[in-house]
């Protein structure tokens, strides 16, 4: 079973547990009993477990590599909040693995998130 299917099942379970927990809460307030109190505690615990699973499974197991592999290359793993200017001399691209955030050419720019400012290279402005 893929992580996506597991997350979908956990999200569905969390919704159902919350709904049933609401009904049991209503029953507890109308006619309190130990049985309903214990049932409510178990529902809250199971719902919390589903939410913890959803939160933990969202984190990627491996963070991407950030590589600036050529002269003047700039690699930014997250977002760039200001202007980025790259100057590079040389030719060709460096040989790097095909994963992560990689600026492989001379004067190249690689940004893993949003570029909130302008990005300039020796060849002009990137858009």
């Amino acid at each position: 079973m893929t992580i996506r299917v597991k997350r979908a099942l956990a999200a569905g379970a969390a919704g159902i547990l919350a709904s049933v927990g609401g009904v049991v809460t209503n029953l507890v307030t109308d006619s309190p009993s130990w049985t309903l109190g214990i049932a409510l505690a178990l529902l809250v615990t199971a719902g919390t477990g589903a939410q913890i699973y959803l939160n933990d499974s969202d984190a990627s197991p491996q963070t991407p590599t950030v590589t600036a592999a050529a002269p003047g290359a700039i690699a930014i793993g997250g977002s760039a909040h200001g202007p980025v200017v790259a100057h590079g001399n040389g030719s060709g691209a460096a040989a790097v693995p095909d994963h992560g955030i990689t600026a492989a050419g001379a004067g190249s720019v690689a940004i893993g998130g949003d570029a909130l400012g302008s990005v300039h290279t020796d060849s002009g402005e990137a858009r």
Side-chain angles (χ1 to χ4, degrees), residues 66-76 84-87 101-103 105 107-111 120:
V66 180
T67 308
I74 299 172
I76 301 170
V84 178
V85 180
H87 301 286
I101 299 149
T102 304
S108 63
V109 175
I111 300 174
H120 295 277

Side-chain angles (χ1 to χ4, degrees), residues 33-74:
S33 72
W34 280 104
T35 306
L36 289 174
I38 291 170
L40 182 59
L42 291 173
L43 286 168
V44 169
T45 303
T48 302
Q51 289 297 322
I52 289 171
Y53 172 78
L54 286 171
N55 189 41
D56 287 347
S57 66
D58 191 30
S60 63
Q62 182 180 9
T63 57
T65 5
V66 180
T67 308
I74 299 172

